Amino acid sequence: MATSPDRLPPRLGNFIEGASVAPRSGQWSAIVDPCTERPAFRSPLSRGEDVDAAMRAAAAAFGGWGSSPASERSALLHALADAIVAHAGELAALDSADTGKPVAALIEEEIVPAADQLRFLAGTARAMSGPAAGEYVASHTSVVRREPVGVCVQITPWNFPLMMAVWKIAPALAAGNTVVLKPAETTPRSALRLGEIAAELLPPGVLNVVCGDRETGRLLARHPAADLVALTGSTRAGREVAATSGAALKRLHLELGGNAAAVVFDDVDVPDTAARIAAAALLNAGQDCVAASRVLVHEGIHDDVVAELVRRAESYRPGPPGDPDSAFGPLNNADQLDHVRGLIAGLGPHAKILTGGRRFGDTGYFFAPTVVIGVRQEDAIVQEEVFGPIITVQPFRTSAEALALANGVSQGLACSVWTNDHTRALEFARDLHCGCVWINTHVVFAAEMPHGGFKGSGNGKDLSVFSLEEYTHVKHVMTRLR
């Protein structure tokens, strides 16, 4: 049924040069609540003039911000972290409305940790390291400078809206860059509010937020004023951004899709291990680039682990944020629901669904926790990033076979190894082709440690001092002495 004109959902604006502005394109897209499938708000469909305005603002602000002392930038970013905590309830409510997650969990697991990561990078900006200045050639003194790159376009996903925005802007701003941030089309509200909060502290134009769809992202990525393009998103999106930006040889920072394996040996505590893996697989409805979606189990304990995973999965129930008994919320959008359902529909006769495998309820993009056995390495559900509440289980006989299965996908973001044999765990950590290896745990992050992948999972690191370095140029300055 069409919505009457007087009951249309509210329209959002972009946030450019310290102010909220309507899109010059005059276009908006209707965004639906993933729990109810009803229109919730209208988000700008930004086009060329909107992108130009934001890029001009960021370019104009770069001179002052990029040349400011690190101590001044650090103090302002610390103040921004405090402001994020002060507005945690409001920011969490916006993300809850856009994603269907509970407010309390958002505050504890995303908003407060994001502020901590911002504080870490604000401090790190004052202590960047490099080679010692000195005479490496006779009668010449060399100095290495780290300088900001310039205007950074940053495109963030819908699975952790506010936290992913902070992961991106924190190192860029700390290093002295200015930012044009494009949040995911379906989850822009917390990023826009972050821009408003930041505008009370940062100079106009340092942080701009432009909303839109894939075409908006393309316009930003190819814009001549963009010095660096950063994306957290799917491998497909990463390839497109790389192709769009490649002609101009722009700097790229790509944190792309994952397909994490949890390798379980036969010397573990089965109930405890299965419980931890199930939690790591089903967190956020499996919409996590490091979700433990592929479980590789030694054949000696395969049936026991499967039974525990099924039991755990059946104890999880999806539901809206107001449901105290729900373990996770909906998939974010209709396309993602179709993707997950398509992977299930594409299973061959060799695969067996032990629980779930279907949409949950008649309204909203909810999907039942699912466990599938009998899958083969070449199956799409193994080779593609699921990004849904699905666990596949594959048996192995030897360590070499387990390693081949774990590495035998195009992505390389993260894996975990579950064993009491410390030497074996370290050998696997060495031989796994991914950017993060957890041992007897999964989905645990530290602001001080890097996050980023190998292979189809992209390049570049979020978090840690490594992320700060990603947003700098290295310059050698040599002086001839008398």
Side-chain angles (χ1 to χ4, degrees):
M1 180 180 295
T3 304
S4 63
D6 60 332
R7 299 183 65 183
L8 288 171
R11 296 190 300 193
L12 306 180
N14 292 317
F15 195 80
I16 299 174
E17 204 168 11
S20 179
V21 293
R24 301 184 184 191
S25 69
Q27 299 179 55
W28 284 264
S29 60
I31 307 301
V32 303
D33 182 330
C35 293
T36 66
E37 301 181 61
R38 295 174 183 167
F41 60 92
R42 287 174 289 171
S43 183
L45 272 177
S46 301
R47 292 296 183 255
E49 288 188 67
D50 306 295
V51 168
D52 286 342
M55 299 301 286
R56 283 197 304 269
F62 174 66
W65 182 253
S67 62
S68 63
S71 59
E72 292 182 9
R73 296 197 302 272
S74 177
L76 290 172
L77 294 179
H78 275 293
L80 178 57
D82 291 341
I84 288 172
V85 173
H87 291 85
E90 178 187 3
L91 292 166
L94 293 171
D95 273 356
S96 178
D98 286 356
T99 65
K101 302 181 193 182
V103 169
L106 277 161
I107 293 173
E108 179 182 355
E109 299 169 8
E110 299 180 34
I111 309 298
V112 171
D116 177 66
Q117 289 144 10
L118 180 55
R119 289 191 182 101
F120 171 78
L121 286 161
T124 304
R126 302 184 65 177
M128 298 193 71
S129 61
E135 287 69 51
Y136 297 94
V137 175
S139 301
H140 293 74
T141 294
S142 289
V143 175
V144 171
R145 292 174 54 88
R146 279 200 175 270
E147 299 177 351
V149 174
V151 176
C152 297
V153 167
Q154 300 186 312
I155 302 171
T156 53
W158 40 255
N159 55 335
F160 299 103
L162 190 280
M163 188 169 73
M164 291 293 96
V166 172
W167 279 25
K168 282 289 182 278
I169 71 167
L173 297 180
N177 302 283
T178 54
V179 168
V180 177
L181 174 70
K182 192 197 90 65
E185 184 177 4
T186 57
T187 57
R189 288 190 281 191
S190 63
L192 288 168
R193 184 66 184 117
L194 176 64
E196 293 172 350
I197 294 168
E200 298 178 7
L201 300 164
L202 308 181
V206 169
L207 175 60
N208 309 275
V209 183
V210 172
C211 303
D213 57 3
R214 290 178 182 175
E215 178 58 24
T216 311
R218 295 185 190 106
L219 292 169
L220 287 164
R222 70 167 68 107
H223 198 280
D227 297 299
L228 181 150
V229 181
L231 166 76
T232 296
S234 67
T235 300
R236 176 206 55 76
R239 292 193 184 102
E240 184 170 338
V241 165
T244 300
S245 306
L249 298 178
K250 297 181 186 296
R251 283 274 293 273
L252 294 177
H253 181 282
L254 304 175
E255 199 278 275
L256 307 179
N259 195 354
V263 183
V264 184
F265 286 93
D266 59 358
D267 59 347
V268 301
D269 180 320
V270 169
D272 179 70
T273 299
R276 294 178 185 276
I277 290 175
L282 302 175
L283 172 72
N284 197 32
Q287 297 171 117
D288 190 325
C289 56
V290 297
S293 55
R294 295 191 298 135
V295 182
L296 313 178
V297 186
H298 189 276
E299 62 180 7
I301 59 169
H302 174 270
D303 292 350
D304 293 337
V305 170
V306 167
E308 282 293 325
L309 288 173
V310 169
R311 186 173 72 84
R312 290 288 174 174
E314 290 179 343
S315 72
Y316 284 68
R317 186 170 66 81
D323 182 351
D325 296 323
S326 67
F328 54 79
L331 299 175
N332 179 258
N333 54 73
D335 288 345
Q336 189 60 27
L337 177 61
D338 288 345
H339 168 71
V340 172
R341 295 168 79 177
L343 290 174
I344 292 294
L347 289 172
H350 52 275
K352 184 178 181 181
I353 300 170
L354 298 183
T355 188
R358 65 190 185 282
R359 184 174 183 174
F360 187 90
D362 299 322
T363 304
Y365 306 131
F366 299 100
F367 201 84
T370 301
V371 178
V372 185
I373 62 171
V375 295
R376 296 172 181 168
Q377 189 71 6
E378 65 271 18
D379 288 346
I381 203 168
V382 172
Q383 289 296 319
E384 296 182 22
E385 183 179 34
V386 174
F387 232 58
I390 296 176
I391 302 170
T392 63
V393 187
Q394 296 170 265
F396 66 83
R397 293 183 179 180
T398 66
S399 294
E401 183 183 2
L403 186 65
L405 292 172
N407 285 334
V409 295
S410 63
Q411 307 89 351
L413 187 56
C415 286
S416 60
V417 182
W418 301 78
T419 179
N420 289 319
D421 186 332
H422 188 61
T423 298
R424 178 164 59 192
L426 292 180
E427 288 174 345
F428 256 75
R430 177 196 64 198
D431 296 334
L432 285 165
H433 299 161
C434 60
C436 174
V437 179
W438 288 290
I439 297 174
N440 296 327
T441 190
H442 202 108
V443 196
V444 180
F445 294 94
E448 296 84 356
M449 291 292 108
H451 172 68
F454 299 173
K455 304 190 295 184
S457 292
N459 53 67
K461 301 296 181 183
D462 288 328
L463 307 178
S464 80
V465 67
F466 295 102
S467 71
L468 194 65
E469 293 173 355
E470 294 278 343
Y471 289 92
T472 65
H473 283 311
V474 176
K475 179 186 288 184
H476 171 214
V477 179
M478 177 180 277
T479 302
R480 180 176 62 85
L481 305 177
R482 291 184 178 181

